Amino acid sequence: MSIPFATEKQVAVAAVRRACLLTSSVFNKLVKNETLTKGDKSPVTVGDYSAQAVVNTILGRAFPTDPIVGEEDANELRQESGVIMRQRIVELANETLTSELGLGEMVEWGLGPGQERTPEELMDAIDRGNHAGGAVGRMWTLDPIDGTKGFLRGEQYAVCLALIVDAQVQLGVMGCPNLPVDASNPDGPKGCIFVAVRGQGAQQMAVSGANPTPLTIPTISGDSLNFLESVEAAHSSHSFNSRVSSVLNITRAPTRMDSQAKYCCLARGDGGAYLRMPTGVGYREKIWDHASGAILIEEAGGIVTDSRGSSLDFGLGRTLGENFGVVAAGKAAHAKVLAAVMQAKAEEEEEKTKARV
């Protein structure tokens, strides 16, 4: 009897692994050494395009009929003004695709020596990310570098890939090249891949794909609870999170980091809850920012909702529509955190009403 999504998992881990190696290379070559040339733009742009070209090339070979919902398109790269950056991206992508086969990888996926792609093939691969999303059918969603400022600082960022079938996330893979393997040893080895398949649990493994370890969110008591939140106050309201902490009598300082690495940390117990509340009116979360993280938390034994307690809806297109904010926590803590969010929101609205009067 075959295991559901076994091939998809194997392909997705290979794609994320290769993208992690590529983005680490971009950081070392273009950020650390500041070797950008005129026309290269930012290292994040180069890394985004290159990683999307690699992941989409692999998905295109393994699952040629599956559409992809991604951030980037190659229109700018096809212009004469983009020739220098295009050359850099083609070089990086081919360097990544043609390296020796790793654990669980197959040459049929377009990997290994001799598998170079033409510039046009790589531009077409990038453009495969233009799918509009929707409620029906299979589709992948990709964020090649989630957490751009963390990437530039040499801190936390993630390569995020998820498979959605009929609006439900079935598989999520996240690569975190800079995340310590063991949170209790922050100066020890770094680089992890996190994998979750619906109904099959969650795992952490080495970037090579070796040493898969099951993940279960531990029960964290109220006095040791703390929030995982964004570094940038522009991405999530720190002041509102502080208000929620006061409602819950949380005394521990929040753990701040960029990207969906926060979901990964929550899944293995490095923090009690992930709270993301919008800072502006009308902002809509993108599906690629939460799809792989949401299934990781669910399969590790947690709950993910928006701030009103509704499930995240991945069938509306490229955004989560009217879902407002994100609250993720273990099953034992989620209801308490959600109730505190609602209380804090009510207090905030009451204060605004009084101020207007």
Side-chain angles (χ1 to χ4, degrees):
M1 181 177 170
S2 62
I3 301 173
F5 303 108
T7 302
E8 287 87 344
K9 174 183 175 182
Q10 192 178 356
V11 171
V13 169
V16 168
R17 171 183 173 270
R18 295 258 172 171
C20 284
L21 297 175
L22 184 150
T23 54
S24 294
S25 175
V26 168
F27 179 81
N28 289 324
K29 290 177 179 177
L30 303 187
V31 181
K32 256 185 171 178
N33 300 322
E34 297 182 348
T35 56
L36 282 175
T37 60
K38 186 179 178 182
D40 255 347
K41 295 213 168 174
S42 82
V44 172
T45 305
V46 175
D48 265 331
Y49 279 128
S50 305
Q52 183 157 316
V54 166
V55 172
N56 289 3
T57 294
I58 295 169
L59 292 178
R61 285 292 293 268
F63 307 107
T65 62
D66 284 359
I68 303 167
V69 182
E71 266 195 302
E72 312 298 342
D73 68 66
N75 183 57
E76 184 181 4
L77 299 178
R78 296 181 190 273
Q79 309 302 317
E80 189 61 35
S81 58
V83 63
I84 295 174
M85 187 162 62
R86 181 170 69 243
Q87 290 169 350
R88 172 83 77 174
I89 287 160
V90 169
E91 177 188 344
L92 283 163
N94 275 328
E95 181 182 284
T96 303
L97 289 166
T98 59
S99 63
E100 295 291 337
L101 292 179
L103 186 66
E105 294 182 341
M106 299 180 67
V107 70
E108 289 81 3
W109 304 338
L111 298 173
Q115 295 278 6
E116 289 87 355
R117 291 291 185 282
T118 66
E120 190 62 27
E121 285 172 331
L122 291 170
M123 297 307 100
D124 288 346
I126 291 170
D127 279 338
R128 288 196 71 223
N130 285 337
H131 187 61
V136 179
R138 279 172 57 109
M139 66 196 74
W140 298 84
T141 186
L142 167 68
D143 192 341
I145 298 181
D146 180 36
T148 55
K149 291 186 177 179
F151 171 75
L152 289 172
R153 288 193 301 266
E155 295 175 2
Q156 297 312 319
Y157 72 98
V159 177
C160 306
L161 180 63
L163 174 65
I164 300 170
V165 182
D166 295 335
Q168 186 175 53
V169 185
Q170 296 291 342
L171 163 69
V173 179
M174 283 182 284
C176 302
N178 295 333
L179 193 68
V181 173
D182 182 354
S184 65
N185 183 18
D187 297 322
K190 291 182 172 63
C192 317
I193 289 179
F194 295 81
V195 185
V197 182
R198 187 162 299 281
Q200 297 176 35
Q203 297 175 318
Q204 175 182 322
M205 60 183 66
V207 173
S208 67
N211 304 318
T213 305
L215 295 176
T216 303
I217 298 176
T219 300
I220 298 177
S221 59
D223 57 348
S224 60
L225 189 75
N226 80 315
F227 286 139
L228 292 152
E229 60 185 35
S230 300
V231 173
E232 304 295 326
H235 293 170
S236 180
S237 176
H238 290 169
S239 59
F240 183 82
N241 290 7
S242 295
R243 184 187 287 266
V244 177
S245 293
S246 296
V247 172
L248 291 168
N249 296 315
I250 291 174
T251 56
R252 287 185 61 196
T255 301
R256 288 177 178 162
M257 66 178 67
D258 297 281
S259 83
Q260 287 188 66
K262 293 183 285 291
Y263 281 117
C264 300
C265 290
L266 176 59
R268 68 184 190 182
D270 308 342
Y274 167 37
L275 188 57
R276 179 182 173 98
M277 292 296 289
T279 56
V281 176
Y283 179 76
R284 294 189 172 195
E285 299 283 355
K286 307 297 189 297
I287 64 170
W288 52 76
D289 285 330
H290 299 283
S292 48
I295 190 170
L296 181 73
I297 296 307
E298 290 169 0
E299 287 301 312
I303 298 173
V304 182
T305 66
D306 72 1
S307 64
R308 303 180 181 109
S310 299
S311 298
L312 303 186
D313 191 341
F314 293 98
L316 299 175
R318 296 171 72 86
T319 76
L320 293 175
E322 298 305 315
N323 281 137
F324 188 82
V326 176
V327 179
K331 287 180 179 176
H334 187 271
K336 294 176 186 176
V337 174
L338 183 61
V341 167
M342 291 178 174
Q343 181 180 330
K345 191 67 180 171
E347 291 173 358
E348 193 176 68
E349 291 301 320
E350 186 178 347
E351 288 173 7
K352 287 179 182 177
T353 300
K354 287 180 180 177
R356 284 195 292 268
V357 174

